Amino acid sequence: MAGQGWTDKRPMSPHLQIWKFHPTMLSSILHRATGVANAVGVAMIVGWLFAVASGPEAFAGYDAFFSSIFGMIILFGFTVSIFYHFANGIRHLIWDAGKGFDPNTANLWSIFSLVFGVLGAVALWAAILMQG
Amino acid sequence: MSNSMRTPLGRVRGLGSAKEGINHFMKQRASAIALVFLVPWMIYNIVLIACCHEDAAARFEAANAFLTSPLNAIFALIAIGASLYHMRLGIQVVIEDYIHASGTKIFLLLLNSFVTIGLFAIAFYSVFTVAA
Ligand code: HEM
């Protein structure tokens, strides 16, 4: 077989070029992406704890970075990530209980997780920024 | 012989299953269930500290006041600990899925464990320093 190429015309199993887009595919990819992003976020929280332990000057530096526009964009991204992963993680736990597998429910949850992630983060940040 | 699903080597060794097939899966779920409660608690408290104070000095005071309460300090460490535990398991799967060269894979898996332990050590030191 080596070097002869694939001659069977029938579709091979899951493959990027023949897979129609569907919501559960997106939510699966995003669960992994947000899981990795959350890892970075947890490291930022640990850094924040260390800054608190290191005294007012160190804390002021850390605080200044995350108060900047750049820092806030990172924090907003982390917020979306944690909200999405939270909603979709609960869906994973429901799946583990053997429920929610029929295509309609599964697709709806995928969209819900996404909406929850984005709107939840926007709502939280709106509330924070209105506090001043 | 031909209708056995086991490999010849497995049959010769005769050790049977290590009974660890779902171990990793269950640990990821157990930590996920804990995080359903711990993550909102942690985010809520960080947001309260970060949002509603005049300047970095006031936020520093608020973070100190928060961690000085024993219950908060203990739960903060549980939240960070559960997150890191879940993170290590999750990142392990991502590495195993994408990295197949065994040297690189072992290196990254070790790195994953060391980073996790390092982050927990920093978190523990920090919370302990502030709380004590
Ligand atoms: C908010 C509460 C959380 C819940 C309910 C939750 C739930 C889950 C579940 C059920 C899985 C397994 C998914 C699968 O088997 O495909 C998972 C995977 C993962 N989680 Fe979480 N998680 C949470 C928070 C976090 C946090 C804080 C982090 C980062 C430290 C994180 C990082 C990951 C990673 C890296 C994976 C692996 C992704 C993959 O294999 O594709 N999660 N999460």
Side-chain angles (χ1 to χ4, degrees):
Chain A
M1 276 303 285
Q4 290 179 356
W6 190 259
T7 51
D8 192 334
K9 289 241 169 33
R10 289 172 300 178
M12 298 194 296
S13 68
H15 189 282
L16 287 178
Q17 287 166 328
I18 56 162
W19 246 24
K20 186 156 84 64
F21 173 87
H22 53 282
T24 45
M25 171 184 97
L26 179 68
S27 61
S28 167
I29 294 169
L30 285 177
H31 197 75
R32 174 155 287 190
T34 54
V36 175
N38 288 351
V40 178
V42 168
M44 297 190 313
I45 293 179
V46 171
W48 180 76
L49 290 171
F50 188 64
V52 178
S54 305
E57 285 90 39
F59 183 85
Y62 205 77
D63 188 279
F65 175 74
F66 284 104
S67 305
S68 70
I69 290 293
F70 185 60
M72 289 215 266
I73 290 172
I74 294 175
L75 286 181
F76 179 75
F78 178 39
T79 315
V80 175
S81 174
I82 207 95
F83 271 65
Y84 173 86
H85 194 93
F86 177 79
N88 207 56
I90 289 175
R91 184 258 284 268
H92 261 286
L93 296 175
I94 294 172
W95 271 342
D96 296 337
K99 298 192 170 64
F101 283 109
D102 68 286
N104 280 336
T105 312
N107 284 336
L108 268 177
W109 256 104
S110 299
I111 294 162
F112 170 76
S113 298
L114 200 58
V115 171
F116 183 85
V118 175
L119 288 191
V122 168
L124 179 62
W125 276 78
I128 292 172
L129 292 176
M130 280 190 311
Q131 285 286 319
Chain B
M1 172 163 175
S2 59
N3 56 16
S4 166
M5 300 279 281
R6 306 187 62 187
T7 63
L9 181 61
R11 248 193 329 277
V12 167
R13 285 191 173 145
L15 293 174
S17 150
K19 302 279 192 298
E20 288 189 355
I22 62 163
N23 191 278
H24 185 282
F25 180 90
M26 292 315 284
K27 285 176 178 166
Q28 184 106 49
R29 310 296 131 168
S31 53
I33 292 169
L35 288 174
V36 169
F37 303 98
L38 293 169
V39 164
W41 177 82
M42 195 72 216
I43 298 294
Y44 172 75
N45 282 295
I46 291 176
V47 166
L48 278 192
I49 292 167
C51 85
C52 314
H53 297 90
E54 274 295 298
D55 52 14
R59 287 190 279 275
F60 178 74
E61 286 311 317
N64 268 281
F66 174 70
L67 290 173
T68 310
S69 143
L71 213 57
N72 288 341
I74 290 166
F75 270 102
L77 279 179
I78 292 175
I80 297 291
S83 297
L84 290 172
Y85 182 81
H86 180 88
M87 173 193 87
R88 183 182 158 273
L89 293 165
I91 298 292
Q92 180 191 339
V93 178
V94 176
I95 294 169
E96 287 167 349
D97 279 356
Y98 298 135
I99 311 294
H100 303 300
S102 91
T104 317
K105 180 162 76 182
I106 290 172
F107 171 76
L108 289 176
L109 290 174
L110 282 175
L111 189 67
N112 182 35
S113 299
F114 295 163
V115 168
T116 304
I117 293 170
L119 285 174
F120 188 73
I122 297 172
F124 186 83
Y125 161 82
S126 304
V127 172
F128 197 81
T129 305
V130 178

